[in-house]
Amino acid sequence: MFKNGDIVKVLIPNVINRGYDYRLTEDADVGNFVRCTVMNRQYIGVIVGLGDSNLDVSKIKPIIEVCHLGKMSDSDIKWIYKMSEWTLMAPGAVLRLIINVMDAFDSPKVEQLYEYNFEASCKMTDARQNVCDAFHSNDNDAMSVNDIQNIAKVSNSVVKTMIKNGILIPTTQREKTIDDFHYDYVDMKNVVLNQEQQSAADTIASAIKTGGFSVHLLDGITGSGKTQVYFDAALRAYMDGKSVLLMMPEIALTAQFISRFEKRFGAPPVVWHSNLTAARRRNIWRGVANGSIKMVVGTRSALFLPWQNLGLVVVDEEHDTSYKQEDMGNYHARDMAVLRAKVSGFPIVLASATPSLETLHNVALGKYKRLRLNSRFGGATLPKIETIDLKQEKAESYKLNESDEKEVSGNLSPRLCAEIESTLSQHKQVMLFINRRGFAPIVQCKKCGWVAQCPDCSVGMNYHKRIGKLVCHICGKTQNLPNICPQCGNEVSMRGIGLEKIQEEVSVKFPNAKTALVSSDTIMSREALERLVRKMEDGEIDIIIGTQILAKGHHFPNLTLVGVVDADMGLFGTDFRAGEHTFQQLFQVAGRAGRGEFPGRVLLQTYQPEHPVIQAIVKGNRDEFMLSDMESRKMAKMPPYGNLIAVIIEADKESVLKKYCEQLANATPTFENGKIMGPIAAQIYQIRNWYRMRFLVSGDIKTHLQPVVQYWLSKVKQPVNVRVKIDVNPQNFM
Ligand code: ADP
Ligand code: ZN
Ligand code: ZN
């Protein structure tokens, strides 16, 4: 405990901050949130220890106040510094992930709120539907204009018009308060675990009882019922008075999941993600800080809530790449959760049907304990998986109109078409998977070779037929499709396949089938996805055509055929995780078939039926495949058998970038068992008009690369308008 007048170190949530000294004006403790000023701006910081400046006491600024809401424990603070050491984010940058709700400590803003008038009839545009969805996602509670705009991602004028038309009406309804999020959970005892589930649940239960750090991998095939096992664990920790975090990818946070939670626990979960109203963010944050909210279901950012007495974290779909944050600081939420559990000494559960190679490696080392669920719950069988060799079974071309002379070359082989036909005739549903948005990835002149390029990025633009425009998949810029080649005036043509192209072929070959397109272009929110899931359940869709959004946790009982249009896509990436990621994706997609009472089939169209990834999927040899992938990574000394840090330098002026990179190259230190490679132009050299180069620092597994990188970068002064991005164990090699 510090006394009034003591000098303490306060960490400020700021990208470069390592802590400043302040004078206390009342008694306070390590971990207390305090209000103070830096360069005349107010911040909420955290006391991390005793001050260490040798300035005269009178020269040290006083803090403004100690905030009596929540407190970070010693181990939470230790975790901040450990995370900073690992990711090379400044401790202040890590703290900024925690103190990211600006007004959590201020009195609430009073704003005019609006209700959605479901009685009003109006023409539904996409924007209005997004507003409607935004209300649904907020339990139809009233929202401010700002919230509506932020959550629905619509302009102010859309909202204004809806107010004018009486679709949105002003209300005196109040927003949910902290108390509204205070639920008491109990075990409703309406679920009986099967033997496998029970034995997994018992093992985790004993880890919770014993306490201390442990990692359990809940390794169960798709549909085996992992959720009920970790619900069991969550209940036990909660009953012990601990706080519990259930973390999942945004897209898995479905109504199906929420209703399962509510059934088992007798009350709905407190849900945390990036698209909440300002009031919800504030109140949930405060509720977690004051300890009244003890259980949260959330996306990766929920790990950074001001947890009190956190005693269990579950990371569902632990292999999912969305746990990797790559924008504002690079960190892997799963790994940071494990770190947090280790520092604080509590158990953590990772769940997946396709665990990441890193996690399996930790199982092999004996650091993580594996719990297996080998059969689908309720006796549903796994789908039968076969390949279609496109070298032998060519897709038939088709005509867009009967009267057309020109034929379009197809992508659906006769066998896949026959299977679709027979599935439809049995009144079952079909899913076609192709992981590329839009109609065609390349727009090119056949005469002179001109290719449509994004003006701001060094990548080609994709043609999107639905909106009739060219779209850059890196920065999102859109442009009109030129009628003729801007270089030579000849005809332009489309190359490659995207989702919309497959829909075109389906609409010609199966004119009576009801189809739906599912990609991030058509499904902008979880509510839109929910609507689609309901349509599937209600049988309003015969053929669902989609990207990886479809690979995640959905349960469609009537879906019996999955066709993967291009299983080879993604097999030949330059990145050492290409095999692993393709395997996980195809495996998850295949797992959508036959989850109900009817058996499922999966057909993979490929030119490479003998490829190890494809063979592993067909034979269901997940473990064997992962072992061989591990072997090749071991040979290449790639993570987790070696350490890797990517340093990406970006600048808006090429000359500045080149000069700084040259200086860095001249300053590279030599160190044992590792090296610094580069600079080379990044795989995508230009993004949004910023130029990019990269260095790669590699070392053997025992070499700590972080201090090397830190020392190296500190030797060269960073020019203005340059960004340095440090990515430890990168997932992405753009
Ligand atoms: P996973 O996440 O392992 O793919 P789920 O947790 O989605 O599998 O479970 C698959 C299906 O089985 C779901 O419909 C779920 O409600 C059901 N289920 C799982 N365990 C039980 C249980 N013990 N009692 C009743 N239904 C269960
Ligand atoms: Zn041309
Ligand atoms: Zn672009």
Side-chain angles (χ1 to χ4, degrees):
M1 190 77 171
F2 300 114
K3 294 265 173 293
N4 185 350
D6 284 353
I7 306 302
V8 292
K9 187 167 291 301
V10 175
L11 188 63
I12 306 291
N14 176 310
V15 276
I16 52 163
N17 189 262
R18 295 183 180 276
Y20 298 128
D21 283 2
Y22 286 88
R23 182 160 42 83
L24 282 178
T25 49
E26 56 185 296
D27 295 357
D29 217 344
V30 167
N32 269 135
F33 293 107
V34 293
R35 193 186 296 274
C36 52
T37 57
V38 183
M39 316 249 274
N40 294 324
R41 256 193 77 187
Q42 278 200 15
Y43 286 91
I44 300 290
V46 168
I47 300 177
V48 290
L50 203 59
D52 59 5
S53 82
N54 34 29
L55 281 176
D56 190 77
V57 173
S58 64
K59 296 234 168 67
I60 294 178
K61 260 192 283 184
I63 61 157
I64 299 171
E65 62 170 341
V66 176
C67 307
H68 296 284
L69 169 68
K71 191 168 167 270
M72 300 197 71
S73 66
D74 291 355
S75 64
D76 292 339
I77 289 170
K78 193 166 158 204
W79 172 60
I80 292 179
Y81 284 92
K82 286 266 177 208
M83 178 163 164
S84 160
E85 267 171 40
W86 177 256
T87 61
L88 292 180
M89 291 164 81
V94 178
L95 183 65
R96 200 163 74 161
L97 297 169
I98 297 169
I99 305 181
N100 69 344
V101 177
M102 293 305 168
D103 59 353
F105 292 92
D106 301 324
S107 22
K109 259 200 243 131
V110 183
E111 283 179 288
Q112 176 63 56
L113 302 186
Y114 292 85
E115 276 179 85
Y116 196 96
N117 180 3
F118 290 95
E119 246 81 276
S121 61
C122 70
K123 207 176 123 257
M124 258 310 174
T125 59
D126 281 356
R128 286 178 182 177
Q129 185 63 59
N130 290 346
V131 172
C132 183
D133 287 346
F135 272 87
H136 277 303
S137 77
N138 197 43
D139 306 326
N140 293 331
D141 287 351
M143 288 197 275
S144 71
V145 171
N146 271 333
D147 285 328
I148 300 171
Q149 273 180 248
N150 291 340
I151 296 176
K153 300 190 176 64
V154 295
S155 69
N156 187 258
S157 68
V158 169
V159 180
K160 274 192 174 147
T161 314
M162 291 178 81
I163 293 173
K164 211 172 79 202
N165 295 350
I167 306 167
L168 298 176
I169 40 183
T171 171
T172 52
Q173 203 193 103
R174 283 172 14 90
E175 293 189 83
K176 280 206 168 76
T177 63
I178 296 190
D179 294 337
D180 294 319
F181 291 110
H182 180 106
Y183 301 115
D184 285 316
Y185 299 117
V186 288
D187 191 345
M188 298 297 282
K189 301 216 172 9
N190 48 8
V191 166
V192 182
L193 300 182
N194 67 23
Q195 210 174 8
E196 264 186 346
Q197 286 176 315
Q198 191 62 54
S199 112
D202 287 345
T203 311
I204 302 172
S206 77
I208 292 171
K209 192 151 177 236
T210 318
F213 173 65
S214 63
V215 187
H216 284 92
L217 168 64
L218 187 54
D219 179 355
I221 59 170
T222 52
S224 59
K226 297 182 282 295
T227 317
Q228 293 298 353
V229 175
Y230 69 66
F231 276 179
D232 197 85
L235 268 170
R236 281 169 204 264
Y238 176 84
M239 295 303 178
D240 268 2
K242 303 279 172 32
S243 294
V244 177
L245 165 61
L246 305 180
M247 207 157 57
M248 52 186 56
E250 174 112 31
I251 211 144
L253 205 50
T254 58
Q256 252 173 17
F257 179 87
I258 289 168
S259 84
R260 258 193 241 172
F261 180 104
E262 190 167 353
K263 257 191 210 133
R264 179 84 191 263
F265 298 97
V270 174
V271 176
W272 179 266
H273 52 74
S274 55
N275 242 347
L276 298 171
T277 65
R280 279 202 183 195
R281 288 182 76 73
R282 179 188 139 82
N283 286 326
I284 295 173
W285 199 96
R286 290 176 65 90
V288 172
N290 77 13
S292 66
I293 296 177
K294 285 200 160 57
M295 178 132 65
V296 171
V297 172
T299 56
R300 64 176 183 228
S301 60
L303 179 63
F304 299 93
L305 282 166
W307 288 102
Q308 306 296 309
N309 197 19
L310 187 58
L312 176 72
V313 175
V314 175
V315 185
D316 199 2
E317 309 285 358
E318 67 86 28
H319 65 281
D320 199 280
T321 47
S322 71
Y323 285 120
K324 184 73 193 277
Q325 156 82 36
E326 285 174 331
D327 237 7
M328 313 261 302
N330 281 279
Y331 66 86
H332 199 301
R334 174 199 63 213
D335 297 349
M336 294 307 109
V338 172
L339 185 66
R340 187 161 195 171
K342 190 168 175 187
V343 172
S344 298
F346 61 76
I348 179 166
V349 176
L350 312 179
S352 177
T354 50
S356 64
L357 195 141
E358 277 78 1
T359 293
L360 291 174
H361 177 62
N362 281 319
V363 169
L365 292 179
K367 289 186 183 169
Y368 296 2
K369 194 165 180 246
R370 185 206 308 255
L371 304 167
R372 288 231 192 217
L373 301 181
N374 291 314
S375 53
R376 278 192 160 176
F377 186 83
T381 49
L382 277 175
K384 192 164 166 230
I385 306 176
E386 294 155 80
T387 55
I388 294 179
D389 186 347
L390 290 174
K391 296 194 296 293
Q392 265 134 45
E393 304 185 52
K394 293 233 171 347
E396 279 163 30
S397 52
Y398 57 94
K399 286 182 181 176
L400 275 178
N401 295 299
E402 296 268 339
S403 55
D404 281 3
E405 268 189 23
K406 218 170 95 185
E407 295 215 316
V408 183
S409 57
N411 292 287
L412 304 176
S413 62
R415 183 141 63 100
L416 179 55
C417 288
E419 289 296 338
I420 295 174
E421 193 71 68
S422 112
T423 306
L424 295 181
S425 72
Q426 291 161 35
H427 305 289
K428 296 283 180 302
Q429 293 164 317
V430 177
M431 175 184 287
L432 293 178
F433 174 78
I434 172 144
N435 203 21
R436 193 185 281 129
R437 298 153 52 205
F439 186 84
I442 302 167
V443 176
Q444 190 173 35
C445 167
K446 275 193 179 153
K447 186 100 186 266
C448 76
W450 169 89
V451 172
Q453 289 263 339
C454 175
D456 299 340
C457 308
S458 48
V459 295
M461 287 186 108
N462 290 248
Y463 177 56
H464 283 232
K465 197 166 194 166
R466 206 176 60 93
I467 54 167
K469 284 195 188 291
L470 298 172
V471 179
C472 172
H473 281 188
I474 297 296
C475 74
K477 196 175 192 112
T478 60
Q479 281 192 327
N480 291 329
L481 176 71
N483 293 328
I484 50 166
C485 169
Q487 218 162 260
C488 74
N490 270 284
E491 204 188 339
V492 293
S493 63
M494 314 280 172
R495 278 180 40 199
I497 48 170
L499 199 64
E500 296 172 354
K501 177 109 203 290
I502 299 305
Q503 190 187 32
E504 177 187 277
E505 184 170 352
V506 165
S507 70
V508 172
K509 295 188 173 170
F510 306 94
N512 298 323
K514 290 167 284 189
T515 64
L517 269 194
V518 187
S519 74
S520 54
D521 298 311
T522 58
I523 304 292
M524 312 277 281
S525 65
R526 213 174 307 109
E527 272 58 42
L529 188 61
E530 305 281 334
R531 246 183 294 125
L532 185 104
V533 170
R534 274 196 302 276
K535 276 176 118 178
M536 273 300 273
E537 286 168 351
D538 295 345
E540 286 172 41
I541 300 168
D542 299 316
I543 305 179
I544 187 167
I545 308 164
T547 60
Q548 58 175 355
I549 294 186
L550 287 181
K552 308 280 164 71
H554 309 293
H555 195 74
F556 304 120
N558 247 329
L559 178 80
T560 58
L561 177 66
V562 168
V564 175
V565 177
D566 183 359
D568 305 341
M569 197 185 273
L571 280 183
F572 304 99
T574 48
D575 140 17
F576 66 87
R577 287 196 178 83
E580 180 193 343
H581 285 168
T582 308
F583 177 83
Q584 285 162 344
Q585 195 167 71
L586 294 179
F587 199 86
Q588 294 278 350
V589 173
R592 293 313 109 207
R595 287 172 66 103
E597 54 189 300
F598 316 105
R601 280 189 82 174
V602 180
L603 293 169
L604 307 170
Q605 297 199 130
T606 171
Y607 285 97
Q608 308 265 337
E610 301 308 322
H611 192 286
V613 171
I614 306 286
Q615 279 300 310
I617 301 271
V618 171
K619 300 203 175 114
N621 283 344
R622 188 198 80 186
D623 294 345
E624 208 174 290
F625 169 75
M626 291 307 268
L627 273 177
S628 86
D629 207 40
M630 278 184 189
E631 250 344 279
S632 46
R633 271 205 220 171
K634 202 186 256 172
M635 303 281 283
K637 296 202 172 64
M638 284 292 151
Y641 302 95
N643 287 318
L644 210 56
I645 296 182
V647 178
I648 298 136
I649 318 284
E650 302 181 335
D652 60 351
K653 288 207 183 63
E654 231 177 335
S655 56
V656 174
L657 177 70
K658 292 241 155 91
K659 181 152 173 246
Y660 179 49
C661 285
E662 204 177 285
Q663 289 171 333
L664 281 175
N666 290 333
T668 51
T670 49
F671 58 101
E672 250 177 81
N673 302 321
K675 57 181 185 288
I676 300 180
M677 296 165 281
I680 56 162
Q683 214 174 72
I684 301 181
Y685 180 54
Q686 212 182 346
I687 293 182
R688 292 189 177 89
N689 272 324
W690 278 58
Y691 300 89
R692 312 168 70 240
M693 310 273 285
R694 63 185 293 147
F695 291 90
L696 204 54
V697 186
S698 72
D700 73 11
I701 193 66
K702 293 205 183 70
T703 312
H704 245 337
L705 298 179
Q706 281 87 340
V708 175
V709 171
Q710 208 159 26
Y711 167 73
W712 169 45
L713 294 177
S714 73
K715 285 205 303 184
V716 184
K717 190 172 179 311
Q718 186 180 329
V720 288
N721 283 345
V722 163
R723 294 191 286 241
V724 177
K725 292 183 174 165
I726 299 169
D727 193 352
V728 179
N729 284 341
Q731 295 270 341
N732 184 331
F733 287 77
M734 283 199 328

